[in-house]
Amino acid sequence: MNVLILGSGQLARMMALAGVPLGIEVRAVDVGTLKVVNPIDKKVMAIHLETAIEAADAISVEFEHIPEPLLEQVNRSGKLMPSVESIAAGADRVKEKALLDKLDIANCPYMIVDDAAKLEQAVEQLGEKLIIKASRDGYDGYGQWRLSSKEQLPEIKQALAELDLKKVPLVVEKMLSFEREVSLVGARGKNGQVALYPLVENLHHQGQLHTCVAPAPAITPELVTQAEQIFTALASELNYVGVLAVEFFQMGDSLLVNEIAPRVHNSGHWSMQGADTCQFENHLRAICELPLGSTQVLAPSVMLNVIGCDLPPKDMLSVPRTHLHGYMKTPRSKRKMGHINITGNDYADLGQAMQKLQKWLPKSYFPTLNSEAERLLQIK
Ligand code: ATP
Ligand code: MG
């Protein structure tokens, strides 16, 4: 079988690697150059985009911000999964909010702002602690501005001055103080079969995911039910095919949706070692109409993102049950370079391994490592 992925970053690469044993060949499209590339080594392939579209059994995306003409071209093939509507719901925060509201799914209080002059009104309505998000093209905390008091409004307005808010409005959200962030990753097949991974806990630093603990500690059955109902409602409404991720804020016993990602997700990377079938294989299975694989957890896991620095020295692999996945990229500030998966018998095991890893992982790039290790050591 042959799968074409729009986007040629690490997610396409990990899908390609997962496809190898199944005999699924994955090609990727560099959405900047529109060249077809091998997602594993990024080498340009001797095949035109049109031919690759024609040759594909299924076409999917590794990120939601795909240039519209390309998305339309691919959509005409009838092979795109998930659907254009699903991708748009992840790419455009205005559409995402409309979808959540339509389904009555709790999300952060917000206001859509298409004119910076209306920001005062947002402060009146939502309070002065706000997070202002561009409705399109934001990821990893890019395209976001934080307001902690009214006095900062002129400064923020200046930062927003170069944006065309009529074209790309802002979604202004109330800054919530939540207990923690969790997410649910799952796959849905064409026949409606659903396979869900457990809720995982995500620790962000400066708007970017740094650490993911799977399964999330101290999850009540009520939280699981809420998360699964929300996932199912979204996936059914979108007639979704593939892996879908839903990011939540936990506030007491309730989950609020932060955002959805219509693709394999960073908070699912732990599944490469920690689950029976990893998210990348399950995405391929879903879009190729194969039976979904078991999402059973094989071991509690931690995933650490390597962000903005070179990969750690391979000596770190001397820490038992530690795996390194490099993405073959050149370091740049805030760029995801790879991740480390650790498995253990329990959370304390994971905490111990993280403490041992500190030798190779500098605090400047792994600011949450130490405190996370200590926290996991405390969990019985
Ligand atoms: P990513 O690509 O990492 O998912 P993103 O750029 O799409 O990030 P969001 O998920 O909307 O952006 O926000 C990034 C992070 O900022 C969240 O995970 C959370 O830590 C914080 N954040 C976002 N919205 C709010 C909010 N309303 N209140 C408090 N914190 C928030
Ligand atoms: Mg997010």
Side-chain angles (χ1 to χ4, degrees):
M1 292 191 96
N2 190 302
V3 165
L4 187 66
I5 301 291
L6 307 184
S8 56
Q10 67 265 21
L11 300 179
R13 183 170 193 261
M14 290 186 274
M15 283 188 251
L17 293 170
V20 173
L22 290 174
I24 299 174
E25 188 194 344
V26 177
R27 293 172 177 151
V29 181
D30 177 325
V31 300
T33 63
L34 298 184
K35 296 248 191 286
V36 179
V37 303
N38 176 336
I40 295 177
D41 61 13
K42 312 283 150 71
K43 292 215 170 87
V44 174
M45 300 177 83
I47 178 170
H48 279 291
L49 176 59
E50 290 70 24
T51 321
I53 292 172
E54 210 161 302
D57 297 294
I59 306 181
S60 194
V61 298
E62 70 147 16
F63 77 140
E64 46 279 22
H65 307 293
I66 308 288
E68 226 154 272
L70 174 61
L71 203 55
E72 275 167 22
Q73 180 185 5
V74 164
N75 193 34
R76 281 194 294 275
S77 72
K79 302 173 186 174
L80 182 64
M81 283 165 282
S83 64
V84 171
E85 293 70 34
S86 307
I87 296 166
D92 185 332
R93 293 187 194 274
V94 174
K95 290 192 175 137
E96 185 177 49
K97 287 289 193 190
L99 174 69
L100 294 170
D101 291 346
K102 178 181 170 196
L103 297 175
D104 240 343
I105 295 174
N107 59 83
C108 299
Y110 70 99
M111 194 175 131
I112 293 169
V113 167
D114 61 2
D115 178 349
K118 292 185 188 153
L119 280 173
E120 273 86 3
Q121 214 177 309
V123 168
E124 255 167 59
Q125 201 171 310
L126 302 166
E128 58 182 346
K129 294 207 180 340
L130 297 175
I131 178 153
I132 300 169
K133 304 179 178 182
S135 55
R136 290 211 294 269
D137 294 325
Y139 65 99
D140 281 349
Y142 294 108
Q144 296 193 357
W145 299 265
R146 288 170 189 230
L147 184 81
S148 40
S149 83
K150 271 202 293 238
E151 281 67 57
Q152 287 173 309
L153 270 178
E155 197 185 310
I156 293 218
K157 280 186 184 169
Q158 210 165 9
L160 298 172
E162 62 206 51
L163 305 180
D164 183 351
L165 301 186
K166 291 280 179 259
K167 219 164 119 204
V168 182
L170 304 166
V171 172
V172 178
E173 286 182 356
K174 186 182 178 67
M175 178 79 81
L176 295 176
S177 47
F178 43 78
E179 264 111 290
R180 58 174 172 171
E181 298 191 59
V182 295
S183 60
L184 190 71
V185 172
R188 185 175 183 274
K190 249 190 189 163
N191 59 3
Q193 186 196 357
V194 167
L196 300 176
Y197 293 94
L199 274 170
V200 300
E201 183 169 333
N202 300 319
L203 192 76
H204 287 77
H205 179 74
Q206 294 175 349
Q208 233 183 343
L209 180 67
H210 273 248
T211 308
C212 171
V213 183
I219 288 291
T220 60
E222 289 74 22
L223 290 173
V224 174
T225 306
Q226 280 178 57
E228 295 190 352
Q229 278 176 352
I230 290 171
F231 182 99
T232 314
L234 285 165
S236 316
E237 171 72 16
L238 295 167
N239 203 7
Y240 198 90
V241 182
V243 164
L244 168 72
V246 187
E247 298 178 10
F248 300 98
F249 297 144
Q250 183 184 337
M251 304 191 61
D253 296 330
S254 306
L255 294 179
L256 248 63
V257 171
N258 170 30
E259 60 170 0
I260 64 173
R263 53 173 167 80
V264 289
H265 193 254
N266 199 172
S267 71
H269 291 4
W270 65 274
S271 64
M272 296 170 95
Q273 268 74 40
D276 201 301
T277 314
C278 75
Q279 63 162 349
F280 304 102
E281 179 173 340
N282 258 336
H283 185 67
L284 293 177
R285 288 196 192 204
I287 64 173
C288 293
E289 289 188 67
L290 302 173
L292 300 181
S294 160
T295 50
Q296 196 181 326
V297 176
L298 301 181
S301 306
V302 161
M303 191 263 346
L304 306 172
N305 269 338
V306 181
I307 300 175
C309 58
D310 284 317
L311 292 177
K314 303 251 180 347
D315 285 0
M316 58 149 275
L317 297 172
S318 61
V319 178
R321 305 183 71 177
T322 296
H323 300 260
L324 178 63
H325 298 256
Y327 305 152
M328 288 176 61
K329 301 201 291 197
T330 318
R332 212 171 47 209
S333 168
K334 294 198 86 180
R335 194 174 206 196
K336 289 178 184 163
M337 299 298 298
H339 69 269
I340 298 163
N341 277 347
I342 314 164
T343 56
N345 293 329
D346 51 30
Y347 293 118
D349 254 8
L350 298 170
Q352 271 171 17
M354 287 159 80
Q355 284 187 329
K356 288 188 190 139
L357 283 171
Q358 283 175 32
K359 184 169 154 196
W360 294 277
L361 308 180
K363 201 167 168 52
S364 46
Y365 291 105
F366 297 86
T368 58
L369 183 63
N370 188 23
S371 53
E372 270 299 275
E374 275 170 17
R375 188 175 70 95
L376 291 178
L377 282 168
Q378 302 308 317
I379 301 174
K380 292 281 166 291

Short mmCIF file of all heavy atoms in Angstrom, two decimals, residues 13 304-316 323-331 335-340 360-362 365-366:
data_model
loop_
_atom_site.label_atom_id
_atom_site.label_comp_id
_atom_site.label_asym_id
_atom_site.label_seq_id
_atom_site.Cartn_x
_atom_site.Cartn_y
_atom_site.Cartn_z
N ARG A 13 7.74 11.29 9.37
CA ARG A 13 8.86 10.35 9.48
C ARG A 13 8.49 9.16 10.37
O ARG A 13 8.75 8.00 10.03
CB ARG A 13 10.05 11.11 10.06
CG ARG A 13 11.31 10.31 10.17
CD ARG A 13 12.46 11.25 10.54
NE ARG A 13 13.72 10.59 10.36
CZ ARG A 13 14.41 10.03 11.35
NH1 ARG A 13 13.95 10.07 12.58
NH2 ARG A 13 15.55 9.43 11.11
N LEU A 304 9.94 12.79 27.05
CA LEU A 304 10.59 14.10 27.25
C LEU A 304 10.92 14.66 25.88
O LEU A 304 11.59 13.99 25.07
CB LEU A 304 11.91 13.94 28.02
CG LEU A 304 11.87 13.21 29.36
CD1 LEU A 304 13.29 12.99 29.86
CD2 LEU A 304 11.07 14.03 30.37
N ASN A 305 10.47 15.86 25.59
CA ASN A 305 10.83 16.48 24.31
C ASN A 305 12.23 17.07 24.39
O ASN A 305 12.60 17.68 25.40
CB ASN A 305 9.85 17.62 23.98
CG ASN A 305 8.67 17.16 23.16
OD1 ASN A 305 8.73 16.12 22.48
ND2 ASN A 305 7.60 17.91 23.20
N VAL A 306 13.01 16.87 23.34
CA VAL A 306 14.31 17.54 23.23
C VAL A 306 14.07 18.78 22.37
O VAL A 306 13.74 18.66 21.18
CB VAL A 306 15.35 16.62 22.56
CG1 VAL A 306 16.70 17.33 22.46
CG2 VAL A 306 15.47 15.30 23.32
N ILE A 307 14.16 19.95 22.99
CA ILE A 307 13.75 21.18 22.30
C ILE A 307 14.91 22.18 22.21
O ILE A 307 15.50 22.54 23.23
CB ILE A 307 12.56 21.85 23.05
CG1 ILE A 307 11.36 20.89 23.09
CG2 ILE A 307 12.17 23.16 22.39
CD1 ILE A 307 10.18 21.39 23.91
N GLY A 308 15.20 22.60 20.99
CA GLY A 308 16.14 23.71 20.79
C GLY A 308 17.61 23.40 20.96
O GLY A 308 18.44 24.30 20.87
N CYS A 309 17.96 22.14 21.24
CA CYS A 309 19.39 21.82 21.44
C CYS A 309 19.74 20.54 20.69
O CYS A 309 18.86 19.82 20.20
CB CYS A 309 19.67 21.63 22.94
SG CYS A 309 18.70 20.34 23.72
N ASP A 310 21.04 20.26 20.61
CA ASP A 310 21.48 19.01 19.99
C ASP A 310 20.93 17.83 20.77
O ASP A 310 20.62 17.94 21.96
CB ASP A 310 23.01 18.93 20.00
CG ASP A 310 23.61 19.83 18.93
OD1 ASP A 310 23.08 19.84 17.80
OD2 ASP A 310 24.61 20.52 19.24
N LEU A 311 20.85 16.69 20.12
CA LEU A 311 20.41 15.48 20.82
C LEU A 311 21.42 15.16 21.92
O LEU A 311 22.62 15.42 21.76
CB LEU A 311 20.34 14.30 19.85
CG LEU A 311 19.26 14.38 18.78
CD1 LEU A 311 19.36 13.17 17.85
CD2 LEU A 311 17.87 14.45 19.41
N PRO A 312 20.97 14.60 23.03
CA PRO A 312 21.92 14.26 24.10
C PRO A 312 22.87 13.17 23.64
O PRO A 312 22.56 12.41 22.72
CB PRO A 312 21.01 13.76 25.23
CG PRO A 312 19.72 13.44 24.60
CD PRO A 312 19.58 14.27 23.37
N PRO A 313 24.06 13.08 24.27
CA PRO A 313 25.00 12.03 23.90
C PRO A 313 24.37 10.65 24.09
O PRO A 313 23.58 10.45 25.02
CB PRO A 313 26.17 12.22 24.87
CG PRO A 313 25.81 13.35 25.75
CD PRO A 313 24.51 13.94 25.35
N LYS A 314 24.75 9.72 23.23
CA LYS A 314 24.09 8.40 23.23
C LYS A 314 24.37 7.61 24.51
O LYS A 314 23.70 6.62 24.79
CB LYS A 314 24.49 7.60 21.99
CG LYS A 314 24.20 8.31 20.68
CD LYS A 314 23.07 7.66 19.95
CE LYS A 314 22.70 8.30 18.63
NZ LYS A 314 23.18 9.57 18.23
N ASP A 315 25.39 8.04 25.28
CA ASP A 315 25.65 7.40 26.58
C ASP A 315 24.42 7.38 27.46
O ASP A 315 24.30 6.54 28.36
CB ASP A 315 26.70 8.21 27.37
CG ASP A 315 28.07 7.99 26.82
OD1 ASP A 315 28.17 7.23 25.84
OD2 ASP A 315 29.02 8.59 27.37
N MET A 316 23.53 8.32 27.25
CA MET A 316 22.32 8.37 28.09
C MET A 316 21.51 7.08 27.98
O MET A 316 20.71 6.76 28.86
CB MET A 316 21.45 9.57 27.71
CG MET A 316 21.02 9.57 26.27
SD MET A 316 19.42 10.34 25.99
CE MET A 316 18.33 8.99 26.30
N HIS A 323 14.77 5.32 25.62
CA HIS A 323 14.87 5.27 24.15
C HIS A 323 14.97 6.68 23.60
O HIS A 323 14.26 7.57 24.06
CB HIS A 323 13.62 4.60 23.55
CG HIS A 323 13.43 3.20 24.05
ND1 HIS A 323 13.79 2.10 23.32
CD2 HIS A 323 12.94 2.74 25.22
CE1 HIS A 323 13.52 1.01 24.02
NE2 HIS A 323 13.01 1.37 25.18
N LEU A 324 15.81 6.85 22.61
CA LEU A 324 15.99 8.17 22.01
C LEU A 324 15.47 8.14 20.56
O LEU A 324 15.79 7.23 19.80
CB LEU A 324 17.48 8.53 22.02
CG LEU A 324 17.87 9.86 21.39
CD1 LEU A 324 17.25 11.04 22.14
CD2 LEU A 324 19.40 10.01 21.37
N HIS A 325 14.66 9.14 20.24
CA HIS A 325 14.18 9.28 18.86
C HIS A 325 14.62 10.65 18.35
O HIS A 325 14.09 11.67 18.79
CB HIS A 325 12.65 9.21 18.81
CG HIS A 325 12.10 7.91 19.29
ND1 HIS A 325 11.63 6.94 18.44
CD2 HIS A 325 11.97 7.42 20.52
CE1 HIS A 325 11.23 5.89 19.15
NE2 HIS A 325 11.42 6.16 20.41
N GLY A 326 15.58 10.66 17.45
CA GLY A 326 16.04 11.93 16.89
C GLY A 326 15.31 12.19 15.58
O GLY A 326 14.95 11.27 14.85
N TYR A 327 15.07 13.48 15.29
CA TYR A 327 14.32 13.81 14.08
C TYR A 327 15.21 14.28 12.93
O TYR A 327 14.70 14.72 11.89
CB TYR A 327 13.29 14.92 14.39
CG TYR A 327 12.34 14.60 15.54
CD1 TYR A 327 11.78 15.63 16.29
CD2 TYR A 327 12.00 13.28 15.87
CE1 TYR A 327 10.90 15.37 17.33
CE2 TYR A 327 11.12 13.02 16.92
CZ TYR A 327 10.58 14.06 17.66
OH TYR A 327 9.73 13.80 18.69
N MET A 328 16.52 14.23 13.14
CA MET A 328 17.47 14.65 12.08
C MET A 328 17.22 16.09 11.64
O MET A 328 17.08 16.38 10.45
CB MET A 328 17.35 13.73 10.87
CG MET A 328 17.93 12.35 11.09
SD MET A 328 17.66 11.29 9.67
CE MET A 328 18.55 12.16 8.41
N LYS A 329 17.16 16.99 12.61
CA LYS A 329 16.95 18.40 12.25
C LYS A 329 18.11 19.22 12.81
O LYS A 329 18.83 18.79 13.71
CB LYS A 329 15.62 18.90 12.84
CG LYS A 329 14.42 18.12 12.35
CD LYS A 329 13.11 18.88 12.50
CE LYS A 329 12.66 19.07 13.92
NZ LYS A 329 11.23 19.43 14.02
N THR A 330 18.26 20.44 12.28
CA THR A 330 19.30 21.34 12.79
C THR A 330 18.70 22.14 13.94
O THR A 330 17.60 22.67 13.80
CB THR A 330 19.73 22.32 11.67
OG1 THR A 330 19.84 21.56 10.46
CG2 THR A 330 21.04 22.98 11.97
N PRO A 331 19.41 22.23 15.06
CA PRO A 331 18.84 22.93 16.22
C PRO A 331 18.53 24.40 15.94
O PRO A 331 19.28 25.07 15.22
CB PRO A 331 19.94 22.84 17.29
CG PRO A 331 20.91 21.86 16.81
CD PRO A 331 20.76 21.70 15.33
N ARG A 335 12.82 24.63 18.64
CA ARG A 335 12.52 23.60 17.64
C ARG A 335 12.55 22.22 18.30
O ARG A 335 13.47 21.91 19.06
CB ARG A 335 13.59 23.67 16.56
CG ARG A 335 13.21 22.89 15.33
CD ARG A 335 14.23 23.11 14.24
NE ARG A 335 13.61 22.90 12.95
CZ ARG A 335 14.27 22.72 11.82
NH1 ARG A 335 15.59 22.77 11.82
NH2 ARG A 335 13.64 22.51 10.69
N LYS A 336 11.54 21.41 17.99
CA LYS A 336 11.53 20.04 18.52
C LYS A 336 12.53 19.19 17.75
O LYS A 336 12.41 19.01 16.53
CB LYS A 336 10.13 19.44 18.42
CG LYS A 336 9.15 20.07 19.41
CD LYS A 336 7.75 19.51 19.27
CE LYS A 336 6.81 20.24 20.21
NZ LYS A 336 5.39 20.03 19.85
N MET A 337 13.54 18.70 18.44
CA MET A 337 14.66 17.99 17.82
C MET A 337 14.53 16.48 17.93
O MET A 337 15.17 15.72 17.20
CB MET A 337 15.96 18.41 18.50
CG MET A 337 16.27 19.88 18.39
SD MET A 337 16.47 20.38 16.69
CE MET A 337 17.88 19.39 16.26
N GLY A 338 13.78 16.04 18.91
CA GLY A 338 13.64 14.61 19.14
C GLY A 338 12.88 14.41 20.43
O GLY A 338 12.42 15.39 21.05
N HIS A 339 12.74 13.17 20.82
CA HIS A 339 12.14 12.92 22.13
C HIS A 339 12.76 11.69 22.76
O HIS A 339 13.38 10.86 22.08
CB HIS A 339 10.61 12.81 22.05
CG HIS A 339 10.11 11.58 21.34
ND1 HIS A 339 9.86 11.54 19.99
CD2 HIS A 339 9.83 10.34 21.81
CE1 HIS A 339 9.44 10.34 19.66
NE2 HIS A 339 9.42 9.57 20.74
N ILE A 340 12.60 11.61 24.07
CA ILE A 340 13.11 10.47 24.83
C ILE A 340 11.91 9.76 25.44
O ILE A 340 11.08 10.41 26.08
CB ILE A 340 14.06 10.97 25.95
CG1 ILE A 340 15.27 11.68 25.32
CG2 ILE A 340 14.50 9.82 26.85
CD1 ILE A 340 16.04 12.55 26.32
N TRP A 360 22.85 14.06 31.56
CA TRP A 360 23.02 14.35 30.12
C TRP A 360 22.08 15.43 29.61
O TRP A 360 22.19 15.86 28.47
CB TRP A 360 22.79 13.08 29.29
CG TRP A 360 23.81 12.03 29.54
CD1 TRP A 360 25.06 11.94 28.97
CD2 TRP A 360 23.68 10.91 30.41
NE1 TRP A 360 25.70 10.83 29.45
CE2 TRP A 360 24.89 10.17 30.34
CE3 TRP A 360 22.69 10.45 31.28
CZ2 TRP A 360 25.12 9.01 31.07
CZ3 TRP A 360 22.90 9.30 32.01
CH2 TRP A 360 24.11 8.59 31.90
N LEU A 361 21.08 15.79 30.43
CA LEU A 361 20.05 16.71 29.95
C LEU A 361 20.14 18.04 30.71
O LEU A 361 19.67 18.13 31.85
CB LEU A 361 18.65 16.08 30.12
CG LEU A 361 18.47 14.67 29.54
CD1 LEU A 361 17.05 14.16 29.78
CD2 LEU A 361 18.80 14.62 28.05
N PRO A 362 20.74 19.06 30.12
CA PRO A 362 20.97 20.31 30.84
C PRO A 362 19.68 21.01 31.25
O PRO A 362 18.70 21.00 30.50
CB PRO A 362 21.75 21.17 29.84
CG PRO A 362 21.56 20.53 28.51
CD PRO A 362 21.23 19.09 28.73
N TYR A 365 17.66 23.41 28.98
CA TYR A 365 16.77 22.88 27.94
C TYR A 365 15.71 21.92 28.49
O TYR A 365 14.75 21.60 27.81
CB TYR A 365 17.59 22.17 26.85
CG TYR A 365 18.42 23.14 26.05
CD1 TYR A 365 19.80 23.22 26.25
CD2 TYR A 365 17.82 24.00 25.14
CE1 TYR A 365 20.56 24.12 25.53
CE2 TYR A 365 18.57 24.91 24.42
CZ TYR A 365 19.94 24.97 24.62
OH TYR A 365 20.68 25.87 23.91
N PHE A 366 15.93 21.44 29.71
CA PHE A 366 14.97 20.52 30.33
C PHE A 366 14.57 21.10 31.70
O PHE A 366 14.82 20.49 32.73
CB PHE A 366 15.59 19.12 30.47
CG PHE A 366 15.93 18.50 29.14
CD1 PHE A 366 17.15 18.76 28.52
CD2 PHE A 366 15.01 17.68 28.49
CE1 PHE A 366 17.45 18.22 27.28
CE2 PHE A 366 15.30 17.12 27.25
CZ PHE A 366 16.53 17.40 26.64
#
